[in-house]
Amino acid sequence: MCNPLLGVGVLAVVAAACGGTRAADGPTTSSTTVPVGAAACPRQWVHSSNSSLNPPPARPGLANTLVPPGPTFLTVCRYAGLNQAVKAGTLVQSHVLTGSQLPAFVTYIDQPTWQVIPKGAVYSCPASQGRVDLLQFVYPSGPGVNVSVDIDGCRFVSNGSRTVSGGAIGTRLTAWVGIDG
């Protein structure tokens, strides 16, 4: 059984390694060379059900939408799962998205058609290798928004207040950060 709060990205994160870049539409960067204003990926990501993806003061609207409108940057951080060339939790790829692709992606991720997962609900899910993407949205002012995307297992997508079953969101991210196996 999979508790969606745990499926949000419970990962014991270890070893640090810096991911490279992957060519795709729009600007791309590694975790060490980030455009001014964009978020840099942590080399390791420690997240548990006891920590908040968006601690107070959080951006308003997170209970009703995964990503409020208006970000200027999105940094996609791909972290390894089990049975990969690097240790679980290690940053393996990153990508910075700006321009017209960013509002289009925000519209996509905020579609009302994603199944909302109620807090505390329990689901049976396929086995997870623990692969996860951290999406870091930066706004012109105010707090940013972090979203966790489980790449396998339940494939939940969550900002900590709102969780959806969004496997297709993770699939779409592979265009920017590739498929790690």
Side-chain angles (χ1 to χ4, degrees):
M1 296 277 197
C2 178
N3 182 320
L5 296 177
L6 297 176
V8 171
V10 175
L11 250 203
V13 182
V14 291
C18 182
T21 62
R22 177 169 292 281
D25 297 357
T28 304
T29 184
S30 74
S31 61
T32 57
T33 309
V34 177
V36 174
C41 294
R43 292 176 185 234
Q44 57 186 8
W45 189 40
V46 178
H47 183 264
S48 72
S49 60
N50 296 328
S51 66
S52 175
L53 281 167
N54 294 289
R59 182 165 286 280
L62 294 181
N64 300 318
T65 185
L66 284 171
V67 181
T72 52
F73 292 100
L74 162 59
T75 304
V76 180
C77 310
R78 167 72 48 98
Y79 293 93
L82 301 172
N83 301 317
Q84 292 186 260
V86 296
K87 290 184 180 181
T90 301
L91 178 66
V92 292
Q93 290 288 347
S94 65
H95 177 85
V96 174
L97 184 68
T98 61
S100 63
Q101 290 183 333
L102 182 53
F105 182 70
V106 170
T107 298
Y108 175 73
I109 198 172
D110 282 339
Q111 290 181 74
T113 55
W114 303 116
Q115 178 189 359
V116 175
I117 308 300
K119 284 193 182 282
V122 177
Y123 284 80
S124 292
C125 298
S128 174
Q129 294 294 312
R131 295 182 304 145
V132 65
D133 288 350
L134 172 63
L135 310 181
Q136 299 179 104
F137 294 88
V138 175
Y139 291 79
S141 63
V145 171
N146 292 318
V147 174
S148 170
V149 181
D150 294 330
I151 302 303
D152 53 19
C154 283
R155 299 179 64 161
F156 291 141
V157 178
S158 180
N159 63 18
S161 296
R162 181 179 183 83
T163 301
V164 302
S165 180
I169 294 169
T171 301
R172 186 170 228 181
L173 297 172
T174 62
W176 299 319
V177 291
I179 300 171
D180 43 278

